Amino acid sequence: MSKLEEIRDRNDIGKEVDISLEKMGTSRAEMLADFGSLSAFRDWLAGRIAAADRQNEVQHTTTSNYRQWQGDCEISAKWDAIFDRHEVLQ
């Protein structure tokens, strides 16, 4: 039973991620096409958060545990723009 609950919880989180990405004008499919995996996206996002924290002279230990995403600068710039546009609209 606990395995079923775990799967249900993961599916609920997945739905929330899809809804959030849709509100930002993108999709999980587009994110996967750019980053290749959820882990790579998480690494990129953690690096983005850590960079913002360094700008404010605050370093969160939770973001320092992730590897830095070593990817395409154009993809990074594209997703920075998506997040920046979303933050302005809120």
Side-chain angles (χ1 to χ4, degrees):
M1 188 65 141
S2 64
K3 189 64 170 175
L4 290 174
E5 290 171 345
E6 179 184 332
I7 292 168
R8 183 203 64 217
D9 291 344
R10 257 189 282 158
N11 287 338
D12 288 344
I13 291 169
K15 289 177 189 173
E16 291 299 319
V17 168
D18 291 338
I19 291 168
S20 295
L21 289 171
E22 186 177 310
K23 287 180 181 178
M24 289 184 212
T26 189
S27 67
R28 186 191 304 220
E30 188 171 353
M31 182 265 301
L32 289 173
D34 287 341
F35 290 94
S37 70
L38 292 172
S39 296
F41 181 69
R42 182 196 61 208
D43 292 343
W44 173 83
L45 191 56
R48 185 179 196 271
I49 292 167
D53 290 344
R54 282 191 295 275
Q55 284 180 339
N56 296 326
E57 299 180 353
V58 175
Q59 181 69 28
H60 290 279
T61 58
T62 56
T63 59
S64 65
N65 294 333
Y66 293 112
R67 295 178 318 232
Q68 181 87 16
W69 181 67
Q70 302 295 319
D72 188 331
C73 291
E74 287 182 29
I75 290 173
S76 187
K78 170 187 170 182
W79 283 86
D80 275 334
I82 289 169
F83 274 85
D84 291 344
R85 183 175 55 244
H86 179 70
E87 289 166 359
V88 167
L89 294 175
Q90 285 193 354

